Amino acid sequence: MNDGARRLEAYLAELRRGLGPLPETARTEIVTELRGHVLESAGEEPTEAGVAAVLERLGPAEQLAALYVTDGVLLGAERSRSPWTLLWSLARLAGTSLAGAFALLGCVVGYGLAASFALAAVRKPIAPGSVGLWQLGPDSYSLTLGFAGPPAGRELLGWWIVPIGLLAGVGVLWLTTWFARWSIRQLRRSPLRPAH
């Protein structure tokens, strides 16, 4: 084994360690694909300088592995409808891109709003005098969940908060999940992601 081959194998071993969260079949496929790419790019008899040049273009093995792991997480999240999986995936993206951070913020607000509507519908029978949509002033409204007593104002929906809250909660949950999956699809296609 020449110096180029040894350097390549050391790089691929570090890459494989970084791919730890991925399934074994995915790790093997990525390492095999990259080995072929490096050998093809470095020539039939890879010299240490040829291998070093290709590996330098690929970047540090640890960073490349992190991109592949993030892509694997996003691929799974793209197919998921679980808010927790989607939020966790967007949180991972938020650390690498501003678009990911905005998508995460939008989803946190959306899921929080969905939970608030649903909670208002569920709590209305428990605290009927303090849960609801209240008009506090001419241009001031508040969705109150009844944890601090009734606000000073006029309740607008009464018992209609139950069906409206449930429908709004489910609707906002669906829209937020759709937005999260759409965001992940768009961010996954960005040129900074490794191609599979």
Side-chain angles (χ1 to χ4, degrees):
M1 186 182 287
N2 66 26
D3 290 340
R6 272 194 290 280
R7 183 170 186 158
L8 173 59
E9 292 307 315
Y11 182 90
L12 293 174
E14 186 179 346
L15 178 73
R16 181 178 277 281
R17 279 191 301 277
L19 297 172
L22 296 178
E24 177 60 32
T25 55
R27 289 193 306 257
T28 301
E29 182 181 321
I30 291 167
V31 168
T32 302
E33 185 179 308
L34 277 175
R35 179 181 287 116
H37 169 72
V38 171
L39 291 175
E40 183 180 308
S41 299
E44 286 191 28
E45 273 300 315
T47 63
E48 184 175 8
V51 169
V54 175
L55 295 180
E56 187 173 318
R57 284 193 307 267
L58 289 174
E62 184 178 293
Q63 287 179 355
L64 186 60
L67 285 174
Y68 274 107
V69 169
T70 298
D71 193 60
V73 166
L74 293 178
L75 180 61
E78 194 176 314
R79 298 175 183 146
S80 176
R81 296 198 188 290
S82 164
W84 299 116
T85 301
L86 294 168
L87 285 173
W88 184 76
S89 300
L90 285 170
R92 188 169 177 94
L93 266 177
T96 62
S97 77
L98 188 58
F102 282 124
L104 176 63
L105 179 63
C107 288
V108 166
V109 169
Y111 286 133
L113 192 57
S116 295
F117 284 132
L119 188 58
V122 169
R123 285 209 26 95
K124 181 67 173 181
I126 298 168
S130 58
V131 173
L133 181 64
W134 297 78
Q135 183 175 15
L136 305 176
D139 295 325
S140 178
Y141 300 91
S142 174
L143 178 64
T144 305
L145 302 177
F147 293 109
R154 179 172 67 93
E155 186 179 11
L156 299 175
L157 297 176
W159 285 95
W160 281 102
I161 192 71
V162 175
I164 291 171
L166 290 174
L167 287 173
V170 169
V172 173
L173 175 70
W174 182 86
L175 282 172
T176 304
T177 299
W178 177 87
F179 173 73
R181 293 178 73 207
W182 178 83
S183 298
I184 288 169
R185 272 193 305 279
Q186 298 306 310
L187 292 168
R188 201 169 164 265
R189 290 183 186 131
S190 95
L192 299 177
R193 299 269 156 257
H196 280 298

